[in-house]
Amino acid sequence: MSADGQPPLRFVQEVIAWQKQWLLANQQQLAAGQVGEDAVSILVYAEHPLLEPGVKIADSAARRRETLFRHALDRSSSAGVIVCNENLATMRRVRTGWSNISEAFGFVADTLLEDQCFVVAVFGQSRILVHLPGQNIVEWCNSPNNLMVNALSPTITAKSIADSLRAFADENLLYPTCPVARQIWLRGKPFKLSLQPESHIQSYMLVHLKATFSCSVAFVDQEPQAPGGRADLRVAREAAHGSVYRTVTTMIELKVLSASKSQHANAEWAIEGVEQANSYRRYDTDAVFAWLVDARKTKQKLPREVAAAAKKLHVALEISPMLEHRPLARSKRQASPRGRRSSSK
């Protein structure tokens, strides 16, 4: 399957696939602890890497015009700064490696720009740090979008997909300081949403699922054509041996509940999500999710009609909250005695 989304998003997905290949090719060295913290690559997206790399390096002696090959995957040439086109057909290394990860971060802070797309691949830790255009560089360096890359073939079920997305939401959306939440709240103000919040969240959910599940027996795509229209996300994989169908698909519809809408309007929006999710079923679908991101200031319980619609249509309903701030830690004096619950009358 080809990658989905705008060119920067497709570039990130190609980098994920490239790092999975790298991890598999170097798994013996990784297991032996031979891949240190200096094994870090900064891959920068450029439409024309050979003509306009978009990376300025102050020290002219450090400039390089070294062409890499995507499937070479050798450790000696992977570290450093590599300027790439969308599908990594062109990979031009313009700077050699680092002494540690902090040095790589220093390069990002001093050299790269807010409107650039780049990925920091930390090979020894099997993770990537993703920067999509529009993120403030200083804020990103303090709290980057972190993805663990799974190069193996984990068991994929509707439950494991849901568990993965819950973990994504907790890490990226729960508080205003979380990496993706900072882009959803307009100018950093809680409950004032940026334009097309579903699109922002969907993009990061896509790369998260790609990093977690996409492997030789599965693919994750965005807005695939389904019987009822275009679903937000789909995870497809081979069915277990002996199944009626060769494949299994899980479909996900994403909706954001907004503080600017009334309770009734948000409920209708949620029910629309449930109905859309139901319409995306294929012959091989094992589960469909209506995933609600609750960006309302007052987390009122949704009318029971929402849960009733989900139950009637056999749609799994998930709600991920976005909160105004982290809860304050309670002091020992305020906390209830162990084993007892505090109560008020």
Side-chain angles (χ1 to χ4, degrees), residues 54-113:
V55 177
K56 296 179 180 180
I57 302 174
D59 184 1
S60 60
R63 293 180 182 274
R64 298 178 63 87
R65 293 180 177 275
E66 180 182 356
T67 299
L68 306 183
F69 297 93
R70 174 171 180 166
H71 298 286
L73 304 173
D74 53 292
R75 286 192 296 150
S76 61
S77 61
S78 297
V81 179
I82 306 172
V83 183
C84 316
N85 69 340
E86 180 185 308
N87 63 359
L88 307 194
T90 301
M91 302 180 73
R92 174 187 174 190
R93 188 162 74 153
V94 297
R95 188 193 192 283
T96 53
W98 323 93
S99 58
N100 52 50
I101 300 173
S102 294
E103 186 182 354
F105 265 86
F107 178 88
V108 170
D110 296 339
T111 308
L112 299 183
L113 304 175

XYZ file of all heavy atoms in Angstrom, residues 54-113:
462
model
N 17.346 22.651 1.723
C 16.651 23.304 2.829
C 17.368 23.198 4.152
O 16.796 23.502 5.192
N 18.620 22.755 4.145
C 19.404 22.641 5.368
C 20.659 23.493 5.214
O 21.461 23.273 4.302
C 19.802 21.179 5.647
C 20.675 21.090 6.893
C 18.557 20.321 5.822
N 20.805 24.458 6.090
C 21.986 25.323 6.070
C 22.930 24.895 7.195
O 22.529 24.812 8.343
C 21.580 26.782 6.244
C 20.717 27.316 5.107
C 20.332 28.764 5.334
C 19.473 29.284 4.196
N 19.080 30.698 4.414
N 24.168 24.642 6.822
C 25.170 24.237 7.797
C 26.257 25.300 7.806
O 26.897 25.580 6.788
C 25.758 22.863 7.454
C 24.629 21.821 7.405
C 26.817 22.445 8.461
C 25.068 20.474 6.951
N 26.456 25.921 8.954
C 27.368 27.057 9.065
C 28.802 26.678 8.690
O 29.485 27.403 7.981
C 27.325 27.626 10.476
N 29.284 25.553 9.160
C 30.657 25.135 8.910
C 30.754 24.499 7.532
O 30.313 23.386 7.300
C 31.087 24.144 9.986
C 32.548 23.743 9.849
O 33.208 24.263 8.927
O 33.010 22.932 10.662
N 31.362 25.242 6.599
C 31.421 24.745 5.223
C 32.214 23.449 5.121
O 31.994 22.641 4.218
C 32.037 25.807 4.315
O 33.355 26.133 4.751
N 33.118 23.221 6.079
C 33.911 21.993 6.050
C 33.050 20.772 6.326
O 33.444 19.638 6.010
C 35.039 22.081 7.076
N 31.885 20.987 6.954
C 31.024 19.860 7.292
C 30.080 19.484 6.161
O 29.361 18.502 6.244
C 30.206 20.181 8.546
N 30.073 20.290 5.094
C 29.155 20.011 3.986
C 29.564 18.722 3.268
O 30.732 18.469 3.036
C 29.152 21.171 2.988
C 28.567 22.456 3.555
C 28.614 23.550 2.500
N 28.103 24.793 3.037
C 26.829 25.147 3.053
N 25.926 24.309 2.567
N 26.444 26.298 3.547
N 28.590 17.939 2.926
C 28.856 16.702 2.204
C 27.816 16.541 1.101
O 26.711 17.061 1.200
C 28.783 15.491 3.148
C 29.804 15.517 4.267
C 29.638 14.320 5.180
N 29.869 13.077 4.489
C 31.074 12.521 4.342
N 32.131 13.107 4.848
N 31.215 11.383 3.694
N 28.195 15.809 0.081
C 27.252 15.489 -0.985
C 27.262 13.970 -1.188
O 27.543 13.464 -2.263
C 27.615 16.224 -2.278
C 27.446 17.726 -2.170
C 27.813 18.419 -3.468
N 27.595 19.837 -3.394
C 26.445 20.454 -3.631
N 25.387 19.724 -3.963
N 26.331 21.747 -3.540
N 26.972 13.295 -0.105
C 27.047 11.838 -0.099
C 25.674 11.244 -0.378
O 24.724 11.458 0.363
C 27.558 11.365 1.265
C 27.686 9.874 1.392
C 28.156 9.477 2.782
O 28.439 10.377 3.600
O 28.217 8.271 3.042
N 25.571 10.499 -1.464
C 24.303 9.871 -1.830
C 24.188 8.511 -1.158
O 25.084 7.684 -1.249
C 24.200 9.705 -3.353
O 24.264 10.998 -3.969
C 22.880 9.047 -3.731
N 23.071 8.307 -0.463
C 22.813 7.033 0.194
C 21.759 6.262 -0.591
O 21.011 6.828 -1.387
C 22.328 7.249 1.630
C 23.196 8.109 2.547
C 22.592 8.139 3.947
C 24.616 7.584 2.594
N 21.697 4.972 -0.324
C 20.702 4.122 -0.968
C 19.788 3.553 0.111
O 20.263 3.030 1.122
C 21.380 3.008 -1.767
C 22.219 3.529 -2.893
C 23.573 3.774 -2.716
C 21.646 3.808 -4.132
C 24.346 4.270 -3.749
C 22.405 4.308 -5.166
C 23.764 4.545 -4.986
N 18.518 3.681 -0.122
C 17.518 3.355 0.895
C 17.696 1.962 1.484
O 17.512 1.761 2.685
C 16.114 3.500 0.301
C 15.016 3.052 1.246
C 13.654 3.403 0.736
N 12.631 2.949 1.680
C 11.370 3.346 1.645
N 10.964 4.215 0.756
N 10.502 2.877 2.527
N 18.054 1.002 0.685
C 18.093 -0.381 1.155
C 19.498 -0.839 1.547
O 19.695 -2.021 1.829
C 17.505 -1.312 0.089
C 16.072 -1.015 -0.213
N 15.042 -1.355 0.654
C 15.483 -0.375 -1.260
C 13.885 -0.945 0.128
N 14.132 -0.353 -1.018
N 20.460 0.076 1.601
C 21.804 -0.306 2.048
C 21.799 -0.603 3.550
O 22.325 -1.614 4.002
C 22.804 0.789 1.717
N 21.242 0.308 4.351
C 20.975 0.068 5.775
C 22.229 -0.223 6.608
O 22.155 -0.900 7.629
C 19.976 -1.092 5.946
C 18.640 -0.942 5.218
C 17.826 -2.226 5.319
C 17.856 0.231 5.769
N 23.383 0.284 6.184
C 24.577 0.057 6.990
C 24.696 1.129 8.060
O 24.327 2.284 7.860
C 25.833 0.038 6.116
C 25.944 1.268 5.235
O 25.097 1.383 4.320
O 26.838 2.078 5.465
N 25.232 0.749 9.207
C 25.302 1.647 10.353
C 26.229 2.826 10.110
O 25.981 3.930 10.574
C 25.754 0.888 11.597
C 24.697 -0.014 12.193
C 25.131 -0.493 13.559
N 26.344 -1.324 13.474
C 27.256 -1.419 14.423
N 27.131 -0.712 15.522
N 28.303 -2.217 14.279
N 27.308 2.608 9.379
C 28.327 3.644 9.228
C 27.810 4.897 8.525
O 28.262 5.998 8.799
C 29.534 3.091 8.466
O 29.143 2.664 7.169
N 26.861 4.736 7.618
C 26.379 5.890 6.856
C 24.976 6.336 7.246
O 24.437 7.261 6.648
C 26.402 5.569 5.350
O 25.555 4.463 5.070
N 24.379 5.698 8.252
C 23.008 6.045 8.619
C 22.931 7.279 9.503
O 21.956 8.026 9.461
C 22.335 4.866 9.338
O 22.229 3.756 8.490
N 23.926 7.502 10.351
C 23.877 8.617 11.291
C 24.228 9.928 10.599
O 24.991 9.951 9.641
C 24.819 8.368 12.461
N 23.669 11.013 11.132
C 23.947 12.332 10.592
C 22.691 13.025 10.127
O 21.598 12.772 10.639
N 22.822 13.916 9.158
C 21.685 14.635 8.576
C 21.509 14.160 7.149
O 22.435 14.252 6.335
C 21.893 16.163 8.607
C 20.703 16.867 7.961
C 22.071 16.643 10.042
N 20.329 13.648 6.845
C 20.037 13.123 5.512
C 18.832 13.867 4.960
O 17.764 13.869 5.575
C 19.743 11.608 5.557
C 20.887 10.858 6.250
C 19.526 11.064 4.151
C 20.589 9.393 6.510
N 19.003 14.516 3.825
C 17.905 15.220 3.165
C 17.291 14.271 2.149
O 18.003 13.658 1.348
C 18.406 16.501 2.474
C 17.231 17.252 1.849
C 19.128 17.404 3.472
N 15.963 14.122 2.195
C 15.289 13.102 1.379
C 14.088 13.693 0.661
O 13.459 14.653 1.132
C 14.788 11.950 2.256
S 15.943 11.369 3.498
N 13.734 13.066 -0.446
C 12.455 13.406 -1.067
C 11.354 12.570 -0.428
O 11.592 11.805 0.510
C 12.516 13.221 -2.576
C 12.612 11.757 -2.980
O 12.999 10.911 -2.186
N 12.245 11.473 -4.222
N 10.151 12.687 -0.941
C 8.979 12.095 -0.284
C 9.071 10.593 -0.097
O 8.747 10.069 0.975
C 7.731 12.455 -1.106
C 6.441 11.921 -0.568
C 5.293 12.221 -1.500
O 5.119 13.396 -1.888
O 4.567 11.271 -1.853
N 9.519 9.855 -1.110
C 9.546 8.395 -1.023
C 10.940 7.833 -0.743
O 11.173 6.636 -0.881
C 8.981 7.771 -2.296
C 9.808 8.091 -3.523
O 10.810 8.805 -3.447
N 9.397 7.583 -4.671
N 11.875 8.698 -0.348
C 13.249 8.321 0.000
C 14.013 7.736 -1.188
O 15.027 7.060 -1.003
C 13.295 7.333 1.175
C 12.554 7.705 2.461
C 12.987 6.784 3.596
C 12.750 9.148 2.852
N 13.532 7.999 -2.405
C 14.280 7.553 -3.581
C 15.591 8.315 -3.691
O 16.584 7.799 -4.211
C 13.449 7.744 -4.845
N 15.591 9.560 -3.193
C 16.811 10.359 -3.136
C 17.139 10.629 -1.676
O 16.316 11.191 -0.950
C 16.636 11.698 -3.879
O 16.305 11.432 -5.243
C 17.919 12.521 -3.815
N 18.317 10.203 -1.249
C 18.776 10.414 0.123
C 20.188 10.996 0.067
O 21.131 10.319 -0.342
C 18.759 9.101 0.917
C 17.390 8.440 0.989
S 17.405 6.867 1.934
C 17.583 7.473 3.617
N 20.319 12.244 0.467
C 21.604 12.944 0.377
C 22.077 13.296 1.782
O 21.444 14.105 2.468
C 21.457 14.202 -0.468
C 22.695 15.072 -0.514
C 22.391 16.371 -1.225
N 23.523 17.281 -1.149
C 23.478 18.553 -1.505
N 22.343 19.067 -1.967
N 24.547 19.315 -1.407
N 23.172 12.697 2.220
C 23.685 13.001 3.557
C 24.562 14.249 3.479
O 25.546 14.291 2.734
C 24.479 11.830 4.125
C 24.844 12.065 5.598
C 25.225 10.800 6.308
N 26.550 10.330 5.928
C 27.327 9.599 6.729
N 26.912 9.265 7.936
N 28.495 9.171 6.312
N 24.213 15.252 4.275
C 24.927 16.530 4.239
C 25.748 16.762 5.497
O 26.460 17.759 5.602
C 23.944 17.711 4.040
C 23.227 17.592 2.700
C 22.923 17.770 5.176
N 25.611 15.876 6.467
C 26.403 15.982 7.690
C 26.602 14.581 8.249
O 25.687 13.765 8.235
C 25.709 16.855 8.736
C 26.577 17.170 9.955
C 25.728 17.757 11.071
N 26.513 18.334 12.154
C 27.130 17.646 13.106
N 27.065 16.329 13.105
N 27.812 18.265 14.054
N 27.796 14.306 8.745
C 28.058 12.996 9.334
C 27.498 12.956 10.749
O 26.757 13.842 11.155
C 29.561 12.698 9.321
O 30.256 13.797 9.929
C 30.066 12.522 7.897
N 27.885 11.916 11.509
C 27.193 11.617 12.760
C 27.433 12.533 13.934
O 27.993 13.633 13.814
N 26.996 12.048 15.101
C 26.980 12.831 16.330
C 27.777 12.111 17.409
O 28.031 10.914 17.315
C 25.543 13.014 16.821
C 24.563 13.210 15.727
C 23.828 12.254 15.096
C 24.233 14.445 15.098
N 23.051 12.815 14.119
C 23.280 14.170 14.092
C 24.645 15.762 15.285
C 22.740 15.142 13.289
C 24.103 16.740 14.477
C 23.166 16.429 13.489
N 28.098 12.843 18.447
C 28.716 12.192 19.606
C 27.650 11.672 20.569
O 27.885 10.741 21.322
C 29.643 13.167 20.335
O 28.917 14.319 20.754
N 26.440 12.270 20.528
C 25.336 11.818 21.376
C 24.031 12.403 20.868
O 24.016 13.221 19.936
C 25.578 12.208 22.849
C 25.898 13.686 22.999
O 25.183 14.545 22.485
N 26.992 13.983 23.686
N 22.929 12.006 21.494
C 21.611 12.470 21.066
C 21.456 13.965 21.299
O 20.846 14.681 20.498
C 20.504 11.690 21.812
C 20.616 10.198 21.506
C 19.121 12.194 21.429
C 19.673 9.329 22.316
N 21.999 14.473 22.388
C 21.867 15.898 22.702
C 22.462 16.769 21.606
O 21.931 17.848 21.296
C 22.547 16.204 24.039
O 21.873 15.566 25.095
N 23.549 16.317 21.004
C 24.154 17.079 19.915
C 23.212 17.166 18.723
O 23.113 18.193 18.058
C 25.482 16.447 19.502
C 26.251 17.268 18.474
C 27.554 16.604 18.045
O 27.911 15.570 18.638
O 28.194 17.129 17.114
N 22.504 16.075 18.466
C 21.530 16.074 17.381
C 20.399 17.063 17.673
O 19.946 17.799 16.785
C 20.970 14.665 17.178
N 19.928 17.098 18.928
C 18.899 18.064 19.305
C 19.406 19.492 19.135
O 18.654 20.389 18.730
C 18.458 17.836 20.751
C 17.237 16.985 20.881
C 17.331 15.606 20.923
C 15.977 17.561 20.948
C 16.199 14.822 21.044
C 14.838 16.782 21.058
C 14.948 15.403 21.106
N 20.673 19.717 19.472
C 21.246 21.046 19.295
C 21.221 21.477 17.844
O 20.946 22.654 17.533
N 21.475 20.535 16.932
C 21.406 20.849 15.504
C 19.986 21.245 15.116
O 19.777 22.209 14.367
C 21.867 19.649 14.683
C 21.777 19.866 13.202
C 22.829 20.439 12.502
C 20.635 19.501 12.502
C 22.739 20.654 11.128
C 20.541 19.710 11.136
C 21.596 20.279 10.449
N 19.005 20.494 15.615
C 17.605 20.815 15.325
C 17.273 22.226 15.798
O 16.705 23.039 15.056
C 16.664 19.794 15.994
C 15.215 20.260 15.909
C 16.814 18.427 15.356
N 17.634 22.544 17.047
C 17.288 23.843 17.633
C 17.963 24.992 16.901
O 17.371 26.072 16.738
C 17.674 23.856 19.116
N 19.188 24.798 16.440
C 19.958 25.891 15.834
C 19.760 26.027 14.339
O 20.026 27.101 13.780
C 21.460 25.677 16.101
C 21.804 25.739 17.575
O 21.006 26.321 18.337
O 22.854 25.192 17.957
N 19.297 24.952 13.680
C 19.346 24.935 12.217
C 17.994 24.776 11.532
O 17.713 25.434 10.537
C 20.271 23.790 11.742
O 21.528 23.902 12.402
C 20.481 23.854 10.246
N 17.144 23.907 12.053
C 15.903 23.598 11.347
C 14.808 24.612 11.660
O 14.854 25.317 12.676
C 15.457 22.179 11.682
C 16.467 21.085 11.280
C 15.925 19.703 11.569
C 16.856 21.213 9.807
N 13.816 24.671 10.783
C 12.795 25.716 10.838
C 11.412 25.138 11.117
O 11.144 23.957 10.873
C 12.775 26.490 9.517
C 14.110 27.110 9.081
C 13.981 27.728 7.702
C 14.584 28.139 10.102
